[in-house]
Amino acid sequence: SKLKMHPFIVMTVIAILCGVIGGWLFPESGLTLSEVINKVNSGFGSIMTSIGIVILCGTIIGTILEKTGAALTMANAILKVVGKKNSVVAMGAMGYITGIPVFCDSGFVVLSPISRALAQQSNTSLAVMATALSGGLYATHCLVPPTPGPIAMAGTLGADLGLTILVGLLVSIPAVLVAIIWAKKVSSTIHIEANSEYTLEELQKKYGKLPGTLQSFAPILLPIILIGIASVVSILGATGVVANIFTFLGKPVVALLIGVFLAIGMIPKQEKANTLSWVSSGITDSAAILAITGAGGAFGQILKALPIQASIQGLSSTGLGIFVPFIIACIFKLSMGASTVAMITTASIMVPLMETMGFASSLGRVLVVMAIGAGSMVASHANDSYFWVVSQFSDMKTEEAYKAQTGMTAAMGITIIIVLFVVSLFV
């Protein structure tokens, strides 16, 4: 931030330096000079594999929703139901629900046009809406199956899946409330214009009749519904032709591509000839986001190769109880960036410690899952791809993202572990 250096260059250089120094300090990591570059390349590529196409599709959808006025139609529909005073709460609730079946990265990409439009229609800083949306998505992403992290933790620790879902849904609520409060009290001090290309009046004058409410929501809601159905099919272990079809349609890439074609269908007749330029505009807008997100993945891959796990197993004998899985997950999250990696790694460490630490009961196992999820929230910063997705899609400067996103996610995780500690005293 001080040097005004582009985050892509910073993250890539730091990843290489960290790998070179780490390989020298820890020869057992196998990080030779050539292996450092291999890790940087593979880390960049693995992130692109998981969310690269999703980001591209999301920006295309967002561009079309913006240019057709569909985003403003959606914002007006939401404001009619909740009122301008409750628009921030509505954004957080939308994230809370969407984050259950959809990865927080993908969910933010898909819902960011609504966030921007709501900010414009309610005369609110885009930072406020983005923070509320990000927090809502993040809470259920880290705590509620069938998101991969929580469901993997439940399986690894032998926690009852149904009980994990129920407790996760309840525990996520105070996390979302913290995100909404943070958005209103802290992010409101960051002024970011919504910068919609056109106002509602200008679009109505240009195109006449704007897309209807259902048509406007379809490119966003249908992919979310398809991904949700695929998650249910996976949990139930359903097989057969119908199950395979829904599993295929529920893959984020397929679901978002369907959303792209639904969005293209909204382009007014007089603008059909410009369809290619509209899509190209979305692809161009995604370039910086893809570059920064990939660099964050490269940094995370280097950190995974270092012997962090061996350094923290001694925490199990400290007598800190429910705080042990939380602290371990915090360390992994802060050092590696990826919440899902932090969850899965911490769960593996906790497996042999469950009985000796007194967490062998059904509820005890679920509380450990929640504690790890809380730790994996603290905190989203520069080595986390989600940090860059939120900041870049919300026009935040890096220092503003630290204030809004990093501060909020730290507050969410700390709040949850306090709630869990209080609960652990009575169960």
Side-chain angles (χ1 to χ4, degrees):
S1 299
K2 183 79 172 178
L3 299 175
K4 308 298 181 186
M5 188 75 71
H6 194 279
F8 167 71
I9 296 175
V10 173
M11 296 296 289
T12 304
V13 170
I14 291 298
I16 294 172
L17 287 176
C18 188
V20 171
I21 296 170
W24 174 62
L25 292 174
F26 306 101
E28 68 275 15
S29 67
L31 285 175
T32 61
L33 293 179
S34 59
E35 185 59 21
V36 167
I37 301 303
N38 290 337
K39 291 289 185 185
V40 168
N41 287 334
S42 64
F44 190 100
S46 63
I47 285 291
M48 291 300 101
T49 298
S50 60
I51 63 171
I53 297 177
V54 170
I55 288 177
L56 281 163
C57 289
T59 51
I60 293 169
I61 291 172
T63 298
I64 296 174
L65 293 180
E66 176 80 12
K67 288 179 176 292
T68 58
L72 292 175
T73 298
M74 289 186 284
N76 285 333
I78 293 170
L79 290 175
K80 282 181 181 177
V81 175
V82 304
K84 288 187 178 182
K85 291 183 179 179
N86 299 316
S87 57
V88 181
V89 176
M91 207 74 250
M94 196 180 300
Y96 170 86
I97 295 168
T98 305
I100 296 171
V102 180
F103 256 86
C104 57
D105 307 66
S106 304
F108 196 91
V109 172
V110 172
L111 294 175
S112 59
I114 300 180
S115 172
R116 191 177 291 273
L118 269 178
Q120 177 172 306
Q121 292 300 88
S122 58
N123 296 317
T124 305
S125 169
L126 180 58
V128 175
M129 292 299 178
T131 301
L133 173 60
S134 171
L137 288 162
Y138 202 54
T140 45
H141 172 84
C142 293
L143 298 171
V144 184
T147 308
I151 203 169
M153 286 193 292
T156 301
L157 296 171
D160 179 82
L161 188 59
L163 186 59
T164 302
I165 293 172
L166 177 61
V167 174
L169 286 170
L170 293 174
V171 170
S172 298
I173 294 173
V176 177
L177 291 176
V178 167
I180 291 170
I181 293 170
W182 193 274
K184 289 184 174 182
K185 300 296 183 181
V186 179
S187 297
S188 60
T189 63
I190 303 170
H191 181 70
I192 301 176
E193 292 287 348
N195 286 332
S196 289
E197 188 171 346
Y198 302 104
T199 66
L200 184 62
E201 292 74 20
E202 289 171 340
L203 284 164
Q204 286 176 331
K205 185 177 180 180
K206 184 176 182 180
Y207 298 137
K209 186 179 180 182
L210 295 181
T213 302
L214 184 60
Q215 187 183 18
S216 299
F217 275 103
I220 290 176
L221 286 183
L222 185 58
I224 291 172
I225 291 169
L226 289 173
I227 294 170
I229 292 173
S231 298
V232 173
V233 169
S234 176
I235 291 172
L236 296 177
T239 58
V241 176
V242 175
N244 289 337
I245 290 173
F246 277 115
T247 299
F248 173 75
L249 294 176
K251 296 289 185 183
V253 170
V254 178
L256 266 293
L257 279 171
I258 292 171
V260 168
F261 284 105
L262 288 173
I264 289 174
M266 290 191 298
I267 297 176
K269 289 181 180 180
Q270 61 268 39
E271 292 288 332
K272 287 291 184 184
N274 296 321
T275 297
L276 178 59
S277 65
W278 285 27
V279 173
S280 297
S281 176
I283 293 173
T284 301
D285 291 344
S286 70
I289 301 167
L290 288 168
I292 295 169
T293 302
F299 188 24
Q301 190 74 4
I302 290 291
L303 293 169
K304 290 176 194 174
L306 297 175
I308 296 170
Q309 181 172 338
S311 305
I312 62 176
Q313 286 183 323
L315 280 171
S316 61
S317 59
T318 58
L320 292 172
I322 196 68
F323 287 99
V324 170
F326 172 79
I327 293 170
I328 295 174
C330 276
I331 293 171
F332 279 122
K333 169 63 178 178
L334 287 168
S335 60
M336 294 183 178
S339 294
T340 302
V341 173
M343 291 182 219
I344 294 171
T345 308
T346 306
S348 300
I349 292 174
M350 288 300 299
V351 169
L353 307 175
M354 296 296 283
E355 289 195 22
T356 56
M357 293 185 65
F359 295 117
S361 67
S362 295
L363 185 56
R365 293 178 186 276
V366 171
L367 289 179
V368 171
V369 170
M370 295 297 112
I372 296 172
S376 72
M377 291 179 177
V378 182
S380 176
H381 66 104
N383 63 355
D384 180 9
S385 62
Y386 189 48
F387 174 89
W388 297 110
V389 168
V390 172
S391 64
Q392 296 302 298
F393 274 91
S394 308
D395 303 338
M396 289 185 192
K397 298 176 183 177
T398 304
E399 59 268 29
E400 292 171 341
Y402 270 110
K403 185 176 181 180
Q405 174 73 0
T406 306
M408 174 197 67
T409 52
M412 290 172 68
I414 292 168
T415 299
I416 295 306
I417 193 58
I418 292 172
V419 170
L420 293 172
F421 173 68
V422 173
V423 171
S424 70
L425 295 176
F426 297 97
V427 298

